[in-house]
């Protein structure tokens, strides 16, 4: 016999909808949490087996019950009180959930403390529902590994089409869990395109913030220079609410120090339906021919999006140039920094863990290759051969060039030259230059291709321009309301 759920739970819900219903007594956090666990069982682990969730928090219902009691006795802490949130599996939690980045060797790793952003979520009253699957080691394992696959979690599927439809990576599970309505909100992480890509391909909103706006502490690293966590949601409003909760200066992350006077604890004042009116937006449509010929691009949908911007009063500057966009970017920073940062993480694991270095991880994978090496580990083996000192001249030059060409000769140059508030890219083609600059981007749904594959656009700007990007993205979203729920099968 099936469970009879509150009729309020039939539709996709926003944070504001839920808070209103909780205040009125129409729904509790416990009921909401049980509803999402039911959907995970029915569609993610059953039915068409979307497979976005890697682990469920065994205490989620208890946490929800405690927050319901607190609401009755003390009132709500804020907009996230009692709201379920899913975390990417590279974000540490001090509870009964493991943190593995999808790696078999780390499947029994229990962190000693919460990541800084997890502390912020708990303080805000969020219910940590579980950990989402991801491309293993944030796509640092193999050059042939399919996005959304991990040895520990298997393959995450795109809910919008056949099993072969691209799911995006590496925050695949985080995007799919929200798109499929397995959670209200989720957290992804990005080094380059890892929030933007799955957001676009799964028709959700993803904010890749300025590096340093959200603490990197407690996240299994890829780089020092480019890593950041960010919110994923079905609406710009929900993503903005979540972003405000996550910001803050962390004494254990020096990258956050510069954000003290530039962060907001609440980004909702920038949710302006008329935000596009009078904005100057540069359209970048000079990507490689290979991109325009690929399945990633839809000319009609992109042109439709540009017309919406015009219709909403934006001043559109087409044909803008970004001097460094097509340069031959050096990849020394992610290569050298991954070796250094991941080794530092592994060496500090508890003594009972089976690996404490990249070399030991490679050997572990070879011993368990039936489980661990479906796609091999050529990326990991390449990095094992690199220097571990971060004094290599190739690395140092790449680090300096990345900043110079992505900032002074990239995003900032173009914004200044054309007097722009932001740049708009089709899909997520601007991810690399924004990532190397450490600058923010926000991905928003912009329709569906004839194949059913979701399409989206990305607004990008300079450091700490999240307020501007949220305003533009919200205005576009409200003018179009293009997102549709995927049709899941039992």
């Amino acid at each position: 016999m099936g469970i009879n759920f509150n009729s309020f739970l039939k539709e996709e819900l926003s944070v504001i909808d839920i808070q209103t219903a909780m205040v009125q007594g129409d729904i509790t956090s416990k009921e909401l949490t049980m509803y999402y666990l039911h959907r995970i069982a029915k569609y993610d682990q059953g039915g068409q087996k979307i497979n976005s969730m890697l682990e469920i928090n065994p205490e989620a219902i208890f946490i929800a019950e405690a927050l319901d009691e607190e609401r009755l006795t003390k009132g709500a802490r804020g907009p996230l009180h009692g709201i379920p949130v899913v975390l990417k599996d590279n974000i540490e939690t001090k509870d009964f959930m493991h943190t593995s980045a999808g790696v078999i060797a780390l499947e029994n790793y229990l962190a000693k403390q919460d990541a800084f952003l997890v502390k912020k979520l708990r303080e805000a009253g969020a219910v940590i529902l579980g950990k989402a699957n991801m491309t293993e080691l944030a796509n640092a394992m193999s050059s042939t590994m399919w996005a959304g696959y991990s040895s520990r979690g298997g393959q995450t599927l795109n809910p919008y089409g056949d099993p072969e439809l691209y799911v995006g990576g590496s925050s695949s599970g985080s995007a799919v869990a929200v798109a499929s309505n397995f959670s209200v909100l989720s957290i992804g992480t990005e080094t380059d395109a890892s929030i933007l890509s799955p957001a676009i391909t799964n028709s959700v909103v993803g904010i890749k913030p300025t590096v340093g706006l959200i603490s990197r502490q407690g996240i299994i690293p890829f780089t020092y220079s480019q890593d950041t966590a960010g919110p994923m949601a079905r609406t710009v409003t929900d993503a903005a609410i979540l972003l405000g909760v996550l910001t803050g200066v962390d004494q254990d992350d020096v990258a956050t120090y510069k954000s003290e006077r530039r962060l907001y604890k609440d980004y909702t004042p920038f949710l302006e339906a008329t935000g596009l009116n009078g904005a100057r937006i540069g359209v970048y449509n000079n990507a490689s021919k290979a991109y325009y010929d690929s399945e990633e691009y839809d000319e009609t949908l992109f042109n439709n999006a540009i017309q919406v911007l015009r219709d909403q009063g934006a001043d559109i500057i087409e044909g803008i140039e970004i001097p460094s966009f097509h340069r031959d970017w050096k990849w020394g920073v992610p290569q050298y920094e991954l070796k250094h940062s991941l080794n530092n993480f592994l060496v500090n694991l508890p003594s009972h863990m089976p690996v404490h270095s990249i070399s030991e991880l490679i050997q572990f994978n070879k011993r368990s290759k039936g489980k661990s090496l479906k796609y091999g580990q050529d990326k990991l083996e390449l990095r094992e051969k690199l220097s571990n000192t971060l004094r290599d001249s190739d690395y140092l030059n790449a680090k300096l060039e990345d900043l110079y060409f992505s900032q002074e000769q990239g995003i900032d140059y173009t914004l200044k030259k054309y007097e722009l508030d932001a740049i708009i890219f089709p899909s997520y083609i601007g991810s690399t230059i924004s990532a190397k600059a450490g600058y923010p981007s926000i991905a928003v749904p912009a329709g569906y291709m004839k194949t059913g594959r979701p399409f989206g656009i990305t607004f990008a700007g300079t450091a700490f321009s999240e307020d501007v990007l949220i305003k533009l993205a919200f205005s576009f979203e409200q003018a179009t309301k293009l997102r549709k729920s995927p049709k899941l099968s039992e």
Side-chain angles (χ1 to χ4, degrees), residues 207-241:
I207 300 178
K208 181 264 176 186
T210 305
V211 174
L213 186 67
I214 298 172
S215 172
R216 302 164 299 166
Q217 183 271 320
I219 300 174
I220 297 177
F222 194 111
T223 69
Y224 300 109
S225 301
Q226 296 176 203
D227 287 5
T228 180
M232 308 189 85
R234 291 184 287 272
T235 67
V236 176
T237 299
D238 283 359
I241 290 171

Side-chain angles (χ1 to χ4, degrees), residues 196-454:
L196 302 178
S197 158
I200 294 288
T201 56
N202 293 284
S203 199
V204 297
V205 176
I207 300 178
K208 181 264 176 186
T210 305
V211 174
L213 186 67
I214 298 172
S215 172
R216 302 164 299 166
Q217 183 271 320
I219 300 174
I220 297 177
F222 194 111
T223 69
Y224 300 109
S225 301
Q226 296 176 203
D227 287 5
T228 180
M232 308 189 85
R234 291 184 287 272
T235 67
V236 176
T237 299
D238 283 359
I241 290 171
L242 181 53
L243 180 64
V245 168
L246 301 176
T247 64
V249 175
D250 177 8
Q251 297 306 311
D252 293 325
D253 183 0
V254 68
T256 64
Y257 293 5
K258 65 183 178 183
S259 74
E260 187 164 11
R261 292 183 299 108
R262 308 182 73 179
L263 62 80
Y264 293 90
K265 297 294 185 183
D266 182 5
Y267 285 87
T268 59
F270 305 109
L271 298 169
E272 301 176 19
T274 58
L276 284 166
N277 190 28
R280 283 181 61 85
I281 301 174
V283 179
Y284 191 79
N285 46 17
N286 189 27
S288 66
K289 183 179 183 299
Y291 167 72
Y292 293 115
D293 291 340
S294 75
E295 296 179 354
E296 300 273 349
Y297 184 64
D298 190 297
E299 184 176 14
T300 299
L301 293 178
F302 188 53
N303 288 338
N304 289 347
I306 302 307
Q307 189 57 48
V308 169
L309 303 184
R310 285 197 180 94
D311 292 344
Q312 295 303 306
D315 187 4
I316 300 301
I317 295 85
E318 295 206 55
I320 65 168
E321 290 297 324
I322 303 174
S324 58
F325 189 88
H326 289 291
R327 79 181 299 267
D328 182 18
W329 294 100
K330 307 302 180 186
W331 295 99
V333 171
Q335 288 179 340
Y336 281 89
E337 289 191 359
L338 176 78
K339 170 150 190 191
H340 195 274
S341 63
L342 185 57
N343 267 332
N344 283 350
F345 168 78
L346 294 173
V347 77
N348 284 303
L349 290 176
S351 58
H352 67 270
M353 293 299 295
V355 298
H356 294 90
S357 68
I358 290 178
S359 296
E360 289 182 5
L361 176 57
I362 289 171
Q363 294 307 312
F364 177 95
N365 289 337
K366 287 180 178 177
R367 291 194 300 272
S368 60
K369 62 181 180 180
K371 292 181 177 179
S372 301
L373 293 181
K374 179 178 179 179
Y375 293 97
Q377 53 183 342
D378 61 322
K379 285 187 177 180
L380 213 52
E381 290 170 341
L382 171 66
R383 287 171 170 95
E384 182 191 25
K385 300 171 184 176
L386 299 174
S387 161
N388 198 39
T389 65
L390 297 188
R391 69 184 182 196
D392 185 276
S393 60
D394 289 342
Y395 162 70
L396 292 173
N397 287 327
K399 187 177 181 74
L400 297 175
E401 288 178 8
D402 277 0
L403 291 173
Y404 175 72
F405 286 106
S406 63
Q407 294 178 358
E408 285 89 342
Q409 292 298 309
I411 302 290
D412 290 328
Y413 174 94
T414 301
L415 293 174
K416 184 176 180 181
K417 177 180 178 180
Y418 299 98
E419 299 178 319
L420 303 176
D421 294 299
I423 300 168
I424 184 174
F425 294 99
S427 192
Y428 52 94
I429 64 163
S431 67
T432 295
I433 194 166
S434 293
K436 289 182 177 297
Y439 287 177
S441 302
I442 179 167
V444 192
Y448 301 85
M449 303 181 190
K450 292 179 181 178
T451 60
R453 175 178 176 151

Side-chain angles (χ1 to χ4, degrees), residues 17-30:
D17 291 337
I18 293 168
Q19 289 302 338
T20 300
M22 285 182 174
V23 168
Q24 295 173 347
D26 295 333
I27 189 71
T28 65
S29 178
K30 178 184 178 181

